[in-house]
Amino acid sequence: GSDAIIGGFGGTFSLAAANPIFHPLSPTLIGAIDGVGTKLKIAHAMGIHNTVGIDLVAMNVNDLVVQGAEPLFFLDCYSCRKLEVETTAAFVSGVADGCIQAGCALIGGETAEMPGLFVDGTYDAVGAAVGAMNTAGESGRTILPDTGSMKPGDVLLAMASSGPHSNGYSLIRKIVDRSGLSYEDDSPFSMPLYSPSSSSSQPAPSRLSLGVALLTPTRIYVKPLLKALEIRVPGVDVASSPSFAIKGLAHITGGGLVENVPRMLPPTLTAHIKVSSWTLAPVFRWLKRTGDVSAREMSRVFNCGVGMVIVVERGCEAAVRELLEKEGETVYEIGELKANNEGDEERCTLEDLEQWD
Amino acid sequence: GSDAIIGGFGGTFSLAAANPIFHPLSPTLIGAIDGVGTKLKIAHAMGIHNTVGIDLVAMNVNDLVVQGAEPLFFLDCYSCRKLEVETTAAFVSGVADGCIQAGCALIGGETAEMPGLFVDGTYDAVGAAVGAMNTAGESGRTILPDTGSMKPGDVLLAMASSGPHSNGYSLIRKIVDRSGLSYEDDSPFSMPLYSPSSSSSQPAPSRLSLGVALLTPTRIYVKPLLKALEIRVPGVDVASSPSFAIKGLAHITGGGLVENVPRMLPPTLTAHIKVSSWTLAPVFRWLKRTGDVSAREMSRVFNCGVGMVIVVERGCEAAVRELLEKEGETVYEIGELKANNEGDEERCTLEDLEQWD
């Protein structure tokens, strides 16, 4: 009852298909696994370990919700050279915080000491999230992206990111090196100061240093999106298709808009995005200027302010936007889907990109 | 619908409890996450990467089957300093091989390059497995261990391990250092030479070097155990308890018999194990002698030849044993459960341990 490995999405497993006698109406399970990546190096440098725990959850649960799945539970595995209780505790309190934000249960974890594998004082953390969605019976719906329902004119909405999230950190660390600043220096750009939940074992930082700014945790889009996924196209019979306003979601991770958006599209459509429809946030402007990074490279390495892109049936964009804004999200209308001209290599065009230079 | 974190077992999530309206008969999901540990260092030293892929699957799926769950799917995450395609391909072919052995689907994977985190040429691999069992409805049964049904006189059966599996490798590497042998030298002890499946991207080793012997993959007990779990106590009404012959299973990992067996027992019972009921395999005799390791320490670090311990209703041990042997397993009857004397600190006593010295 499982699909082959699909690049960029969580893998799916249909309980109903695996055992139609016992489980005709059981949900399809969706699994995701991922680590935090080299953002961990900044956590090590700063001695701040709770925020990367949130990143770990975020990277996985955002990959589930783009398929329309509700995250059920999370597992984490923390590997290091030598276990330091305070570091581990801070990290796990962040994982717990992320699970609360995502509405999923932290059902297991493992810590492993592996001398000889890790550079001194570093650790690695990998997490796995499992979600479910009803694909059979009356409440059943299609696993997203629903490419069959997408058409020219569909609107592209975007949800603002909280910063670079967990991608592009190898380049970020090079740019910081080049800047001559240390992670302890005051941040040269503004950013919301992250406040850990009261259950965190590590206190909130007292000031916005460069390191603290760069550790701003990845935004978790699960709860607002699960609500928005219920919005139906008005006037359409429930039995016909498409009946839901949202047809596809793309979690913008490594590779940026140009690599992540096409993954949710059918081969017949191209995403036309106007990057002037949102303002490049100060952190990205600082990275661009300090690292002398071209606008094109910025768009291929970073999310550039957009953490999630949504394909919405035209006419429904106001309802989706209103709901997401009510949930506290910042939403931009960034473009639309157009018919793919034969021979088009780019499946996601970025207009006004030169305005970033 | 989830339990708190439980040491030594996979975490559980009840779909039926989470959503009783849609999923009254949906299964309980069980998740496990784990890595291979420092056995990876020997894989690096030898340049053999497929067998540790099997270990990764084994560590996780064996943790699921001890709860009575059928593994459904597996996810793996491979992190390294710099991706080397041949190494990764060999590793993933081992993961695929392990999934076939366990009867589960490999539905997703992630590879991550993390410069600055790993010692040169090393990598880490973490896997997560998700299983399901029916806990509601007519086919529903109790998540194991079923401690309530255990009683004095219950028989302890053991399934032979294929070697040290994936535990005790920090000590093993020290002992090899002390032996003066290199991993390329002929193995000073006999061991079955592992033959990779035809789908493996790495060929079978041509001779039993010490490194090859120590890379013998962890035995995957899933398929035989899932069959044995169906054996019922004869003459007992299906509606009464206990109706199944197997009441508990312990996957023997780090901490050996003395730490892993008590985890499946109620506080009122102690496991009495006679270690003379099986022969200490050559690999363990070599490790003991060469490392000058006491019998007691051996029993706390290694599985010492026993990879799985089974609590069986007395009278059913022959049926369980026969089935497992027919499935190709080597089975020992190693002891029984006895009432726990008040004040007993040891919940697993090892008789004849001095015979190992």
Side-chain angles (χ1 to χ4, degrees):
Chain A
S2 82
D3 277 359
I5 297 170
I6 309 165
F9 297 114
T12 65
F13 187 93
S14 164
L15 282 166
N19 198 336
I21 295 163
F22 282 132
H23 299 301
L25 294 178
S26 285
T28 292
L29 301 178
I30 304 189
I33 193 163
D34 209 351
V36 179
T38 49
K39 190 172 186 175
L40 286 174
K41 292 288 286 183
I42 298 179
H44 302 148
M46 294 297 294
I48 297 176
H49 302 285
N50 55 344
T51 58
V52 283
I54 298 175
D55 288 308
L56 183 65
V57 177
M59 294 307 287
N60 283 289
V61 295
N62 286 343
D63 272 352
L64 294 186
V65 77
V66 296
Q67 298 191 272
E70 180 185 352
L72 299 177
F73 62 82
F74 190 78
L75 303 152
D76 77 295
C77 185
Y78 177 101
S79 315
C80 56
R81 200 178 144 279
K82 183 114 191 72
L83 216 57
E84 286 158 22
V85 175
E86 278 178 36
T87 304
T88 316
F91 181 82
V92 174
S93 74
V95 171
D97 202 353
C99 286
I100 291 165
Q101 288 182 38
C104 69
L106 176 59
I107 68 163
E110 183 70 27
T111 53
E113 285 191 346
M114 311 226 283
L117 211 62
F118 290 98
V119 175
D120 274 12
T122 62
Y123 58 87
D124 190 18
V126 171
V130 174
M133 66 184 286
N134 294 323
T135 51
E138 269 183 44
S139 68
R141 53 188 295 183
T142 308
I143 294 171
L144 296 182
D146 184 7
T147 52
S149 73
M150 293 182 189
K151 57 179 187 289
D154 282 347
V155 176
L156 295 170
L157 293 181
M159 295 167 83
S161 65
S162 55
H165 286 181
S166 306
N167 295 103
Y169 276 81
S170 292
L171 179 57
I172 289 174
R173 291 191 302 124
K174 275 186 203 147
I175 293 172
V176 171
D177 277 353
R178 180 180 170 144
S179 75
L181 292 174
S182 92
Y183 290 116
E184 293 291 350
D185 287 331
D186 284 341
S187 175
F189 50 85
S190 66
M191 206 139 182
L193 196 64
Y194 166 71
S195 301
S197 72
S198 57
S199 65
S200 175
S201 72
Q202 205 155 19
S206 54
R207 67 183 181 87
L208 191 70
S209 64
L210 178 57
V212 165
L214 292 173
L215 284 174
T216 303
T218 305
R219 194 157 182 93
I220 293 177
Y221 299 103
V222 170
K223 288 182 179 176
L225 278 179
L226 287 176
K227 287 190 186 172
L229 284 167
E230 299 300 318
I231 299 177
R232 286 169 183 274
V233 179
V236 173
D237 177 28
V238 172
S240 87
S241 172
S243 58
F244 291 101
I246 293 180
K247 304 173 177 184
L249 293 158
H251 180 203
I252 310 305
T253 57
L257 290 161
V258 283
E259 280 192 22
N260 288 287
V261 169
R263 287 186 187 155
M264 67 166 158
L265 302 180
T268 50
L269 294 170
T270 294
H272 286 254
I273 293 174
K274 207 179 231 182
V275 304
S276 55
S277 51
W278 73 94
T279 307
L280 198 64
V283 56
F284 297 110
R285 292 207 308 271
W286 182 81
L287 288 167
K288 187 175 187 319
R289 194 176 59 238
T290 313
D292 193 18
V293 185
S294 71
R296 182 139 301 272
E297 194 183 347
M298 287 295 291
S299 76
R300 294 193 167 270
V301 175
F302 299 114
N303 65 55
C304 293
V306 161
M308 190 67 75
V309 174
I310 316 172
V311 176
V312 182
E313 167 86 7
R314 185 164 292 276
C316 296
E317 66 272 23
V320 172
R321 185 175 190 149
E322 191 188 356
L323 184 148
L324 292 174
E325 286 176 346
K326 201 177 280 175
E327 294 292 315
E329 299 296 325
T330 303
V331 182
Y332 317 112
E333 185 174 327
I334 62 168
E336 63 176 334
L337 296 187
K338 291 186 182 175
N340 191 17
N341 292 323
E342 228 174 294
D344 268 8
E345 290 215 358
E346 289 202 83
R347 309 284 315 294
C348 176
T349 66
L350 302 179
E351 201 181 326
D352 297 335
L353 200 55
E354 70 285 355
Q355 296 190 12
W356 286 357
D357 282 318
Chain B
S2 85
D3 278 359
I5 296 170
I6 308 165
F9 297 114
T12 65
F13 186 94
S14 165
L15 282 166
N19 197 336
I21 294 164
F22 282 131
H23 299 302
L25 293 178
S26 285
T28 292
L29 301 178
I30 305 189
I33 193 164
D34 209 350
V36 179
T38 51
K39 191 173 186 174
L40 286 175
K41 293 287 284 183
I42 298 179
H44 302 148
M46 294 296 294
I48 297 176
H49 303 285
N50 55 343
T51 58
V52 284
I54 298 174
D55 288 309
L56 182 65
V57 177
M59 295 307 287
N60 283 289
V61 294
N62 286 342
D63 272 352
L64 294 186
V65 77
V66 296
Q67 297 191 271
E70 179 185 352
L72 300 178
F73 62 82
F74 190 77
L75 303 154
D76 78 296
C77 186
Y78 178 99
S79 315
C80 57
R81 196 178 147 280
K82 182 113 190 72
L83 216 56
E84 286 158 22
V85 174
E86 278 177 37
T87 305
T88 317
F91 181 82
V92 173
S93 75
V95 171
D97 203 353
C99 286
I100 291 166
Q101 287 182 38
C104 69
L106 176 60
I107 66 162
E110 183 72 25
T111 53
E113 284 192 346
M114 311 226 281
L117 210 62
F118 290 98
V119 175
D120 274 12
T122 62
Y123 58 87
D124 190 18
V126 171
V130 173
M133 67 185 285
N134 295 321
T135 51
E138 269 183 43
S139 68
R141 53 187 295 181
T142 308
I143 293 171
L144 297 181
D146 184 7
T147 52
S149 73
M150 292 182 190
K151 56 180 187 288
D154 282 348
V155 176
L156 295 171
L157 294 181
M159 295 166 84
S161 65
S162 54
H165 285 181
S166 306
N167 295 103
Y169 276 81
S170 292
L171 180 56
I172 289 173
R173 291 191 302 124
K174 275 185 204 147
I175 292 172
V176 171
D177 277 352
R178 180 181 171 146
S179 74
L181 293 174
S182 92
Y183 289 117
E184 293 291 350
D185 287 332
D186 284 341
S187 175
F189 50 86
S190 66
M191 205 140 184
L193 195 65
Y194 166 71
S195 301
S197 72
S198 57
S199 66
S200 175
S201 73
Q202 205 155 17
S206 55
R207 66 184 181 87
L208 191 68
S209 64
L210 177 56
V212 166
L214 291 173
L215 284 176
T216 303
T218 305
R219 195 157 183 92
I220 293 177
Y221 299 104
V222 170
K223 287 183 179 175
L225 279 178
L226 287 177
K227 288 189 184 172
L229 284 167
E230 298 300 319
I231 299 176
R232 288 169 183 275
V233 178
V236 173
D237 177 29
V238 171
S240 87
S241 174
S243 59
F244 291 101
I246 294 180
K247 304 172 176 185
L249 293 159
H251 181 204
I252 309 306
T253 57
L257 289 160
V258 284
E259 280 190 22
N260 288 287
V261 170
R263 286 185 187 155
M264 67 167 159
L265 303 178
T268 50
L269 294 169
T270 293
H272 286 254
I273 293 173
K274 208 178 231 182
V275 304
S276 55
S277 50
W278 74 94
T279 307
L280 199 63
V283 54
F284 297 110
R285 292 208 306 273
W286 183 81
L287 288 167
K288 186 174 188 317
R289 193 177 60 240
T290 311
D292 193 20
V293 185
S294 71
R296 182 139 301 275
E297 195 184 347
M298 287 295 291
S299 76
R300 294 192 168 272
V301 175
F302 299 115
N303 65 55
C304 293
V306 162
M308 190 66 76
V309 175
I310 316 173
V311 177
V312 182
E313 167 86 8
R314 184 165 292 277
C316 297
E317 65 273 23
V320 172
R321 186 175 188 150
E322 191 187 357
L323 184 147
L324 292 175
E325 286 175 345
K326 200 176 282 175
E327 295 292 316
E329 300 295 326
T330 303
V331 182
Y332 317 112
E333 184 174 329
I334 61 168
E336 63 176 335
L337 297 186
K338 292 185 181 176
N340 191 16
N341 292 322
E342 230 174 295
D344 269 7
E345 289 216 357
E346 288 203 84
R347 309 284 316 294
C348 175
T349 68
L350 301 180
E351 202 180 324
D352 298 334
L353 199 56
E354 68 287 354
Q355 294 189 12
W356 286 357
D357 283 320

